[in-house]
Amino acid sequence: MPQVDRYKERTVNIEFAAVEDCSILPYSERFTLVLITSGSIKGMLNQRPISISAPAVLCLAEDDHVQVVEMINVSAQSFRFHPDFLNTVTLSETKDYFPAVPSIQTGLSLFQNNHLYNGVPRGKSIPAIV
């Protein structure tokens, strides 16, 4: 269902599933944020074994390959959106511009695979502070 982005004055295709059953992940032409609020999932992500326990956030791109092997008492929700949704204006760094506080790593970087970990973060699924 299209939503209105009031900051960029545009319509964006973003969907929310209150109950995500994880059977057809990932979605084509979409980035997906799966919010795992309870339970655990075991399976394969891009040919690597994964084990995810709630609470967790799974960030998937359309070219990821997910195979769920086991789900135990899982409750999950998901947001799906087109990659263009995360395109932002780049701020040029000048000597007058310094962030006042650390910011959480956001945007497309959440969905890019790290060649060392192949899209699976080490430890808990928490975005890095930069």
Side-chain angles (χ1 to χ4, degrees):
M1 166 185 278
Q3 302 292 317
V4 176
D5 180 349
R6 65 180 183 226
Y7 298 106
K8 292 187 179 181
E9 298 178 5
R10 63 183 177 158
T11 301
V12 292
N13 289 324
I14 186 167
E15 298 90 27
F16 173 72
V19 178
E20 176 62 63
D21 67 5
C22 303
S23 64
I24 55 173
L25 293 174
Y27 294 90
S28 64
E29 297 184 12
R30 294 288 186 264
F31 285 144
T32 305
L33 292 172
V34 181
L35 312 172
I36 302 165
T37 54
S38 66
S40 64
I41 298 174
K42 291 183 181 181
M44 302 288 283
L45 174 60
N46 299 328
Q47 311 307 318
R48 293 183 174 255
I50 59 169
S51 179
I52 303 170
S53 296
V57 176
L58 184 59
C59 302
L60 299 171
E62 68 176 320
D63 58 351
D64 286 329
H65 179 71
V66 178
Q67 179 185 3
V68 175
V69 175
E70 179 180 29
M71 292 179 39
I72 301 173
N73 299 323
V74 172
S75 290
Q77 301 77 40
S78 68
F79 288 95
R80 302 179 299 274
F81 46 90
H82 193 275
D84 287 344
F85 180 72
L86 293 179
N87 287 343
T88 58
V89 176
T90 304
L91 293 174
S92 60
E93 293 186 28
T94 66
K95 65 180 181 179
D96 298 328
Y97 172 76
F98 292 101
V101 295
S103 62
I104 296 176
Q105 180 182 2
T106 58
L108 294 173
S109 61
L110 291 173
F111 300 93
Q112 294 171 346
N113 289 335
N114 179 317
H115 70 281
L116 294 175
Y117 305 110
N118 204 19
V120 180
R122 290 174 43 166
K124 293 223 179 243
S125 299
I126 300 173
I129 302 289
V130 293

